[in-house]
Amino acid sequence: DIKDPILLGVSLGGFVALSAAIRHPSLFRGVITLSSVAHVERGAAIARFGELGGPPAAQAFADVLARPEDDVAFAKYAQLCFPLYSRQ
């Protein structure tokens, strides 16, 4: 067993790490993020997901920003938005 783990996330993994820590704060002693952001310009980011993935992707991103602890919202975001991170 690992005792008092510190969670590390890089780039998008930083957002995932922060979301995991929000959902399960008792599991981690701390969180380290690299090349990531804790704040997102919501309007611009939602619009960009809409451009890349259409209205469903924009809504999924908006939902996960509004409710990062919601496992259903996060699953929808992962399904619709993760593939878009490799698009230009």
Side-chain angles (χ1 to χ4, degrees):
D1 290 331
I2 299 173
K3 294 182 182 187
D4 298 324
I6 296 173
L7 188 59
L8 169 67
V10 179
S11 189
L12 174 61
F15 186 76
V16 173
L18 289 172
S19 295
I22 288 168
R23 278 196 211 112
H24 308 286
S26 65
L27 294 181
F28 308 105
R29 186 174 76 167
V31 177
I32 299 170
T33 61
L34 301 170
S35 300
S36 190
V37 298
H39 174 75
V40 174
E41 285 294 329
R42 292 173 187 253
I46 291 167
R48 184 64 176 149
F49 276 109
E51 292 169 13
L52 293 173
Q59 187 61 56
F61 187 66
D63 290 346
V64 84
L65 288 176
R67 299 183 317 277
E69 75 289 344
D70 184 330
D71 290 336
V72 173
F74 189 82
K76 190 65 143 179
Y77 162 73
Q79 174 192 7
L80 295 174
C81 297
F82 280 13
L84 303 176
Y85 279 90
S86 62
R87 293 192 55 197
Q88 297 286 330

